[in-house]
Short mmCIF file of all heavy atoms in Angstrom, two decimals:
data_model
loop_
_atom_site.label_atom_id
_atom_site.label_comp_id
_atom_site.label_asym_id
_atom_site.label_seq_id
_atom_site.Cartn_x
_atom_site.Cartn_y
_atom_site.Cartn_z
N TRP A 1243 49.25 108.04 202.71
CA TRP A 1243 48.40 106.89 203.01
C TRP A 1243 47.09 107.24 203.68
O TRP A 1243 46.08 106.54 203.47
CB TRP A 1243 49.27 106.01 203.98
CG TRP A 1243 50.38 105.19 203.12
CD1 TRP A 1243 51.62 105.53 203.17
CD2 TRP A 1243 50.19 104.08 202.31
NE1 TRP A 1243 52.38 104.63 202.32
CE2 TRP A 1243 51.45 103.69 201.88
CE3 TRP A 1243 49.04 103.37 201.90
CZ2 TRP A 1243 51.57 102.61 201.02
CZ3 TRP A 1243 49.20 102.26 201.11
CH2 TRP A 1243 50.54 101.88 200.60
N VAL A 1244 47.07 108.21 204.52
CA VAL A 1244 45.83 108.58 205.24
C VAL A 1244 44.81 109.06 204.10
O VAL A 1244 43.65 108.78 204.22
CB VAL A 1244 46.12 109.84 206.19
CG1 VAL A 1244 44.76 110.40 206.67
CG2 VAL A 1244 46.93 109.26 207.39
N VAL A 1245 45.28 109.89 203.20
CA VAL A 1245 44.34 110.44 202.15
C VAL A 1245 43.79 109.17 201.36
O VAL A 1245 42.66 109.14 201.06
CB VAL A 1245 45.11 111.38 201.24
CG1 VAL A 1245 44.29 111.80 200.01
CG2 VAL A 1245 45.39 112.67 202.03
N ARG A 1246 44.70 108.29 200.92
CA ARG A 1246 44.28 107.15 200.24
C ARG A 1246 43.16 106.28 201.04
O ARG A 1246 42.08 106.00 200.54
CB ARG A 1246 45.42 106.13 200.08
CG ARG A 1246 46.45 106.55 198.92
CD ARG A 1246 47.60 105.72 199.08
NE ARG A 1246 48.61 105.94 198.00
CZ ARG A 1246 49.82 105.38 197.83
NH1 ARG A 1246 50.27 104.50 198.83
NH2 ARG A 1246 50.57 105.77 196.76
N GLY A 1247 43.44 106.18 202.28
CA GLY A 1247 42.47 105.48 203.18
C GLY A 1247 41.12 106.15 203.24
O GLY A 1247 40.15 105.53 203.18
N LEU A 1248 41.15 107.49 203.45
CA LEU A 1248 39.91 108.30 203.49
C LEU A 1248 39.10 108.19 202.28
O LEU A 1248 37.86 108.13 202.31
CB LEU A 1248 40.18 109.77 203.82
CG LEU A 1248 40.76 110.01 205.30
CD1 LEU A 1248 41.21 111.49 205.48
CD2 LEU A 1248 39.70 109.63 206.28
N LEU A 1249 39.76 108.31 201.16
CA LEU A 1249 39.03 108.18 199.79
C LEU A 1249 38.44 106.83 199.58
O LEU A 1249 37.27 106.72 199.25
CB LEU A 1249 40.00 108.58 198.62
CG LEU A 1249 40.48 110.00 198.55
CD1 LEU A 1249 41.47 110.24 197.44
CD2 LEU A 1249 39.23 110.93 198.29
N LEU A 1250 39.05 105.74 200.00
CA LEU A 1250 38.59 104.38 199.75
C LEU A 1250 37.43 104.20 200.75
O LEU A 1250 36.38 103.56 200.37
CB LEU A 1250 39.74 103.33 199.97
CG LEU A 1250 40.80 103.22 198.95
CD1 LEU A 1250 41.89 102.34 199.40
CD2 LEU A 1250 40.18 102.80 197.67
N PHE A 1251 37.58 104.68 201.93
CA PHE A 1251 36.54 104.55 202.99
C PHE A 1251 35.25 105.30 202.54
O PHE A 1251 34.17 104.70 202.57
CB PHE A 1251 37.11 105.11 204.31
CG PHE A 1251 36.05 105.04 205.39
CD1 PHE A 1251 35.79 103.90 206.06
CD2 PHE A 1251 35.31 106.21 205.66
CE1 PHE A 1251 34.74 103.91 207.15
CE2 PHE A 1251 34.36 106.25 206.69
CZ PHE A 1251 34.15 105.06 207.47
N THR A 1252 35.44 106.47 202.01
CA THR A 1252 34.29 107.20 201.53
C THR A 1252 33.67 106.52 200.35
O THR A 1252 32.45 106.54 200.15
CB THR A 1252 34.73 108.64 201.17
OG1 THR A 1252 35.51 109.22 202.29
CG2 THR A 1252 33.49 109.52 200.81
N LEU A 1253 34.41 105.92 199.47
CA LEU A 1253 33.80 105.19 198.36
C LEU A 1253 32.93 104.07 198.85
O LEU A 1253 31.94 103.66 198.13
CB LEU A 1253 35.02 104.45 197.63
CG LEU A 1253 35.44 105.22 196.30
CD1 LEU A 1253 36.64 104.46 195.71
CD2 LEU A 1253 34.29 105.55 195.34
N ALA A 1254 33.15 103.42 199.97
CA ALA A 1254 32.25 102.43 200.50
C ALA A 1254 30.83 102.94 200.90
O ALA A 1254 29.95 102.23 201.03
CB ALA A 1254 32.79 101.84 201.84
N PHE A 1255 30.72 104.28 200.90
CA PHE A 1255 29.41 104.94 201.24
C PHE A 1255 28.91 105.72 200.06
O PHE A 1255 27.68 106.09 200.02
CB PHE A 1255 29.50 105.80 202.46
CG PHE A 1255 29.83 105.11 203.72
CD1 PHE A 1255 31.26 104.89 204.00
CD2 PHE A 1255 28.90 104.73 204.58
CE1 PHE A 1255 31.56 104.22 205.12
CE2 PHE A 1255 29.24 104.01 205.74
CZ PHE A 1255 30.64 103.77 206.09
N ALA A 1256 29.72 106.02 199.11
CA ALA A 1256 29.35 106.85 197.97
C ALA A 1256 28.32 106.39 197.02
O ALA A 1256 27.69 107.13 196.35
CB ALA A 1256 30.67 107.25 197.10
N ASN A 1257 27.99 105.06 197.08
CA ASN A 1257 26.90 104.56 196.29
C ASN A 1257 25.55 104.91 196.77
O ASN A 1257 24.58 104.79 196.06
CB ASN A 1257 27.13 102.97 196.14
CG ASN A 1257 27.10 102.39 197.57
OD1 ASN A 1257 27.58 102.81 198.56
ND2 ASN A 1257 26.49 101.16 197.60
N LEU A 1258 25.49 105.34 198.07
CA LEU A 1258 24.15 105.81 198.55
C LEU A 1258 23.08 104.72 198.50
O LEU A 1258 21.88 105.02 198.39
CB LEU A 1258 23.73 107.12 197.87
CG LEU A 1258 24.66 108.28 197.81
CD1 LEU A 1258 24.12 109.45 197.03
CD2 LEU A 1258 25.15 108.72 199.22
N ASN A 1259 23.52 103.55 198.48
CA ASN A 1259 22.58 102.42 198.47
C ASN A 1259 22.72 101.46 199.68
O ASN A 1259 23.86 100.91 199.83
CB ASN A 1259 22.79 101.65 197.13
CG ASN A 1259 21.82 100.54 196.90
OD1 ASN A 1259 20.69 100.61 197.48
ND2 ASN A 1259 22.12 99.57 196.06
N ASP A 1260 21.69 101.19 200.44
CA ASP A 1260 21.90 100.24 201.60
C ASP A 1260 21.82 98.86 201.03
O ASP A 1260 20.76 98.34 200.60
CB ASP A 1260 20.76 100.40 202.60
CG ASP A 1260 20.93 101.80 203.23
OD1 ASP A 1260 22.03 102.19 203.62
OD2 ASP A 1260 19.80 102.41 203.66
N ILE A 1261 22.96 98.16 201.12
CA ILE A 1261 23.06 96.77 200.75
C ILE A 1261 23.37 96.02 201.97
O ILE A 1261 24.45 96.14 202.57
CB ILE A 1261 24.13 96.47 199.70
CG1 ILE A 1261 23.85 97.35 198.44
CG2 ILE A 1261 24.18 95.02 199.24
CD1 ILE A 1261 24.86 97.25 197.36
N TRP A 1262 22.56 95.13 202.44
CA TRP A 1262 22.77 94.45 203.63
C TRP A 1262 21.98 93.02 203.55
O TRP A 1262 21.32 92.75 202.61
CB TRP A 1262 22.29 95.18 204.85
CG TRP A 1262 20.79 95.27 205.03
CD1 TRP A 1262 19.95 95.89 204.25
CD2 TRP A 1262 20.02 94.52 205.99
NE1 TRP A 1262 18.63 95.68 204.63
CE2 TRP A 1262 18.72 94.89 205.75
CE3 TRP A 1262 20.31 93.68 207.06
CZ2 TRP A 1262 17.57 94.36 206.48
CZ3 TRP A 1262 19.33 93.17 207.83
CH2 TRP A 1262 17.93 93.54 207.42
N SER A 1263 22.07 92.21 204.58
CA SER A 1263 21.51 90.96 204.66
C SER A 1263 21.08 90.63 206.05
O SER A 1263 21.84 91.11 206.96
CB SER A 1263 22.44 89.85 204.13
OG SER A 1263 22.00 88.62 204.52
N PRO A 1264 20.07 89.83 206.31
CA PRO A 1264 19.76 89.42 207.64
C PRO A 1264 20.98 88.65 208.33
O PRO A 1264 21.08 88.47 209.53
CB PRO A 1264 18.53 88.43 207.51
CG PRO A 1264 17.87 88.98 206.27
CD PRO A 1264 18.95 89.46 205.37
N ASP A 1265 21.89 88.08 207.48
CA ASP A 1265 23.06 87.41 207.96
C ASP A 1265 23.87 88.25 209.00
O ASP A 1265 24.51 87.86 209.83
CB ASP A 1265 24.05 87.11 206.89
CG ASP A 1265 23.66 85.80 206.12
OD1 ASP A 1265 22.58 85.22 206.40
OD2 ASP A 1265 24.45 85.35 205.24
N THR A 1266 23.78 89.67 208.66
CA THR A 1266 24.56 90.52 209.54
C THR A 1266 23.97 90.92 210.85
O THR A 1266 24.54 91.56 211.70
CB THR A 1266 24.84 91.89 208.76
OG1 THR A 1266 23.59 92.54 208.54
CG2 THR A 1266 25.37 91.52 207.33
N VAL A 1267 22.70 90.53 211.10
CA VAL A 1267 22.03 90.94 212.31
C VAL A 1267 22.69 90.42 213.63
O VAL A 1267 23.00 91.27 214.49
CB VAL A 1267 20.49 90.51 212.29
CG1 VAL A 1267 19.86 90.70 213.56
CG2 VAL A 1267 19.74 91.23 211.16
N PRO A 1268 22.92 89.12 213.66
CA PRO A 1268 23.59 88.72 214.96
C PRO A 1268 24.92 89.19 215.16
O PRO A 1268 25.40 89.46 216.26
CB PRO A 1268 23.56 87.11 214.87
CG PRO A 1268 23.41 86.82 213.48
CD PRO A 1268 22.51 87.91 212.81
N ASN A 1269 25.66 89.47 214.04
CA ASN A 1269 27.00 90.08 214.10
C ASN A 1269 26.97 91.44 214.73
O ASN A 1269 27.86 91.85 215.50
CB ASN A 1269 27.70 90.05 212.72
CG ASN A 1269 27.80 88.82 212.10
OD1 ASN A 1269 27.95 87.69 212.81
ND2 ASN A 1269 27.91 88.70 210.72
N THR A 1270 25.92 92.22 214.33
CA THR A 1270 25.83 93.50 214.93
C THR A 1270 25.30 93.60 216.27
O THR A 1270 25.64 94.53 217.02
CB THR A 1270 24.97 94.43 213.99
OG1 THR A 1270 23.61 93.81 213.84
CG2 THR A 1270 25.54 94.56 212.63
#
């Protein structure tokens, strides 16, 4: 399960593309 989680987590960054929105500013 740890390996599965690490691979999925890394996939969230593997696109190497910053996708964001001003919506996220106050949340951060």
